[in-house]
Amino acid sequence: MRVALWPDADPDELRVEALAWDTGSGIALIAVDDGDHAIGMAEASLRRDYVNGTDGSPVGFLETWYVDADHRGRGVGRALIAAVEAWTREQGCTELASDALLDNTASHAAHAACGFEETERVVYFRKALDA
């Protein structure tokens, strides 16, 4: 699912990242169908640094959210978000934040359908410096 979510990333790096996920400071969830096949995933963490668009700290942050294309629109994503929300509340947080690329309008719509509100848009810049 990570490869489907980030098709341009190196699959080996994604595998290492998945195996290194620290569930001591976050939560990793897998949604399965009736045949026990993975059809969705969500990962969330607690962020104690400033999170754009939020009022407090710590904040629950949805790090990863993916539902297989064949299972979208059936409540799988909403169920994953509900589980992340419950975990976030258990951590004492009053806010859950997330992000999406500017051109990922499907993700924007999915977030809105689950009750997220857009707070701001950001463009990041980089300048390489000579040594």
Side-chain angles (χ1 to χ4, degrees):
M1 284 186 273
R2 285 176 177 273
V3 172
L5 184 58
W6 296 295
D8 296 330
D10 180 313
D12 290 331
E13 288 180 21
L14 293 175
R15 186 176 2 275
V16 168
E17 183 181 286
L19 294 172
W21 180 256
D22 180 8
T23 55
S25 63
I27 187 171
L29 303 165
I30 301 292
V32 297
D33 64 11
D34 292 336
D36 261 358
H37 299 99
I39 58 171
M41 65 181 286
E43 296 169 336
S45 68
L46 290 181
R47 290 198 180 179
R48 289 172 170 44
D49 55 341
Y50 174 71
V51 175
N52 295 34
T54 63
D55 294 326
S57 178
V59 172
F61 196 87
L62 183 63
E63 303 286 353
T64 306
W65 184 31
Y66 178 79
V67 175
D68 182 72
D70 292 338
H71 294 87
R72 292 180 187 160
R74 299 180 186 180
V76 176
R78 191 177 304 273
L80 287 165
I81 294 300
V84 168
E85 288 174 0
W87 175 82
T88 302
R89 282 188 199 94
E90 289 171 8
Q91 307 313 303
C93 298
T94 59
E95 294 177 289
L96 175 61
S98 183
D99 60 12
L101 295 175
L102 287 175
D103 63 350
N104 192 345
T105 57
S107 180
H108 301 175
H111 278 81
C114 288
F116 284 89
E117 62 182 351
E118 183 176 320
T119 59
E120 61 185 73
R121 290 185 175 227
V122 177
V123 176
Y124 293 96
F125 295 92
R126 174 185 173 269
K127 180 178 181 179
L129 302 176
D130 296 332

